[in-house]
Amino acid sequence: MSRLPKINLFNTLGDDRPTPSNPAAGGTMPALLGLRGLAAVSVVLFHINRQIKIDVPDWLWFVTTHFGHGVFLFFVLSAFSLSYTNVRRIGQPNWLVQYAIKRFFRIAPLFYAVLASELLRQYLSAGRIISPDWQIFANITFTFGLVPHASMVWAGWTVGVEMLFYAVFPFLLIALTGTNRAILLLIVALAVSLVSRIIIGNIDLDTGRSPPWAYFSFQSNLWFFALGMVTFFFINWHTQLETIAHRTVSIFAGISIAILLWVSEALRFVPDWRIVRPDLLVFGIIFAILTAWQYLRPSWLLSNGLMRYLGDRSFSIYLCHPVFLFYFRDQIYMIHDFFVSRLGSPAFLVTSLTVMICLMAIVEVTFRAIELNGLRLSSMASRAVSRKPRATNQP
């Protein structure tokens, strides 16, 4: 029986120590990996407050209002990283097939494992599978992103959105050949996102659908993916930015993000725009600037070993944490009650730290047992596709 090849995940995600002017090296820069970790942790903290109702201190109010935006940072990073790793592969033999193989095995093994656990939960609690056959089929085929709230995996709506983006990404990648097309993509993506949010948002209001599908649909989030792609191509087309960045990018990015945060906060309280949520669209620009900043001038705060560790495991953190919070909520309440009587409102931080430590023990298992093996299978399948057939002598 052949053994699976060893995989270095950091190289699989692609860090060959490339430089901004050399995307041919392929991969994800360390600080971008750290940003994935930051996004994952922010979503966990958001759900500790929203899902199991652990109170947040007043001075951490932004956890309840903004940490859920970590999913949109994932979208921007995904588009940026995919552009980075695939731009030089266009036209290579079987590159589309290899791209599809890598995307499938990066997502499917862990998603299917969590999906199986949900089916088992339904069977054990109700004595049968509650979800209808069409919904199970939609989840297995990753088409559930086309149907409102059809994901059977808790917080799995982002996977449905991501998989739809993966399907259209190669076509967008091939089409982006210059600045004019990049600007056109941004305009179209913004228009699609705005119109979708208005139309779907009004349907949500009329039908009383909750949570609103306008927040979770692919077309409503196309703007974030477009920002990630265009941000990468803008840097790649203007390679002089690599030199300029060492002097000015931190100042420019810091000032721009501060201004946009103010704009986003002002838009958040405009009553007539609640359906559109323009504040979230502004946050897309913030995340694009943050991504470019850390790509051009990585910060140790995001590229250190801990953040890279969390970034490597960000997918497991994201998919496993809602299940963990649900099944261990009583124990989490006990921990919080113990600390709140001694520390007051800062008990949220101690409770969250305890949750993260315990969660990471589970994540380490899913990462090594499922994700890494999925990547190994992806490597094997990619090599099989790229292997040329042996030449045969004709008589």
Side-chain angles (χ1 to χ4, degrees):
M1 182 176 180
S2 60
R3 296 183 63 185
L4 294 174
K6 291 184 178 181
I7 289 290
N8 183 321
L9 182 65
F10 209 59
N11 287 335
T12 302
L13 293 178
D15 184 34
D16 297 358
R17 296 294 181 260
T19 62
S21 61
N22 181 29
T28 303
M29 299 289 278
L32 300 192
L33 200 59
L35 276 177
R36 290 183 186 276
L38 178 65
V41 172
S42 71
V43 173
V44 174
L45 296 181
F46 176 78
H47 283 149
I48 289 175
N49 170 250
R50 288 296 184 92
Q51 182 177 334
I52 59 174
K53 310 302 181 184
I54 299 296
D55 291 333
V56 174
D58 292 340
W59 53 278
L60 289 178
W61 58 269
F62 49 85
V63 172
T64 66
T65 56
H66 293 78
F67 271 32
H69 299 353
V71 295
F72 305 116
L73 177 55
F74 273 127
F75 293 160
V76 173
L77 286 169
S78 177
F80 188 97
S81 300
L82 282 177
S83 301
Y84 184 85
T85 55
N86 287 280
V87 65
R88 301 298 185 189
R89 296 173 182 169
I90 298 177
Q92 293 181 2
N94 299 314
W95 79 275
L96 276 175
V97 176
Q98 291 187 348
Y99 162 80
I101 289 172
K102 290 178 180 178
R103 289 300 89 207
F104 178 81
F105 281 105
R106 183 67 186 95
I107 300 298
L110 182 61
F111 182 84
Y112 285 159
V114 181
L115 176 61
S117 71
E118 168 59 16
L119 291 172
L120 178 63
R121 182 194 70 82
Q122 292 183 15
Y123 183 80
L124 293 177
S125 61
R128 62 185 179 89
I129 303 298
I130 299 174
S131 299
D133 292 341
W134 71 263
Q135 188 177 19
I136 298 173
F137 177 80
N139 278 259
I140 293 174
T141 58
F142 293 106
T143 55
F144 63 90
L146 299 171
V147 185
H149 306 308
S151 173
M152 295 173 58
V153 172
W154 295 344
W157 70 271
T158 58
V159 176
V161 171
E162 284 273 5
M163 293 301 273
L164 291 175
F165 172 68
Y166 291 164
V168 302
F169 170 77
F171 305 100
L172 296 176
L173 186 67
I174 294 171
L176 282 181
T177 57
T179 303
N180 290 339
R181 290 194 176 187
I183 294 174
L184 178 62
L185 173 61
L186 282 180
I187 294 174
V188 171
L190 180 59
V192 169
S193 294
L194 285 172
V195 171
S196 299
R197 286 171 182 270
I198 293 172
I199 294 175
I200 300 175
N202 281 304
I203 294 175
D204 289 334
L205 290 176
D206 292 340
T207 60
R209 184 165 52 196
S210 181
W213 180 239
Y215 184 90
F216 299 104
S217 68
F218 166 69
Q219 55 269 34
S220 299
N221 292 291
L222 182 60
W223 168 245
F224 301 105
F225 294 109
L227 280 170
M229 292 189 70
V230 171
T231 299
F232 168 75
F233 278 101
F234 180 79
I235 296 173
N236 192 40
W237 290 331
H238 302 82
T239 54
Q240 67 271 20
L241 287 175
E242 184 179 354
T243 302
I244 299 174
H246 289 289
R247 299 192 301 269
T248 62
V249 70
S250 297
I251 297 175
F252 171 79
I255 294 175
S256 299
I257 289 174
I259 294 173
L260 289 171
L261 282 172
W262 179 83
V263 172
S264 174
E265 196 64 13
L267 291 173
R268 193 164 66 91
F269 294 102
V270 179
D272 295 337
W273 293 356
R274 291 282 175 86
I275 294 176
V276 178
R277 290 298 305 270
D279 57 306
L280 295 182
L281 302 179
V282 173
F283 253 93
I285 303 175
I286 292 173
F287 291 147
I289 293 173
L290 180 61
T291 300
W293 178 8
Q294 294 307 307
Y295 176 70
L296 292 167
R297 191 175 176 83
S299 166
W300 178 85
L301 291 175
L302 291 170
S303 61
N304 63 72
L306 174 61
M307 294 308 296
R308 293 202 310 271
Y309 175 86
L310 293 172
D312 275 341
R313 293 150 179 80
S314 57
F315 188 42
S316 277
I317 293 173
Y318 181 78
L319 280 192
C320 293
H321 85 272
V323 180
F324 178 87
L325 293 179
F326 176 81
Y327 282 108
F328 292 96
R329 59 189 184 279
D330 291 339
Q331 289 75 17
I332 296 172
Y333 292 146
M334 291 175 57
I335 293 171
H336 181 258
D337 291 343
F338 174 82
F339 285 111
V340 78
S341 62
R342 292 161 174 78
L343 302 175
S345 59
F348 173 82
L349 295 175
V350 182
T351 303
S352 299
L353 178 60
T354 306
V355 167
M356 282 302 305
I357 292 173
C358 297
L359 173 64
M360 290 310 297
I362 298 174
V363 163
E364 192 66 22
V365 175
T366 61
F367 173 73
R368 294 188 176 277
I370 301 174
E371 288 196 72
L372 284 183
N373 282 317
L375 291 171
R376 292 186 179 105
L377 290 172
S378 171
S379 180
M380 291 174 62
S382 295
R383 284 202 298 271
V385 168
S386 62
R387 189 179 300 124
K388 295 181 179 179
R390 294 181 181 178
T392 56
N393 295 325
Q394 298 295 330

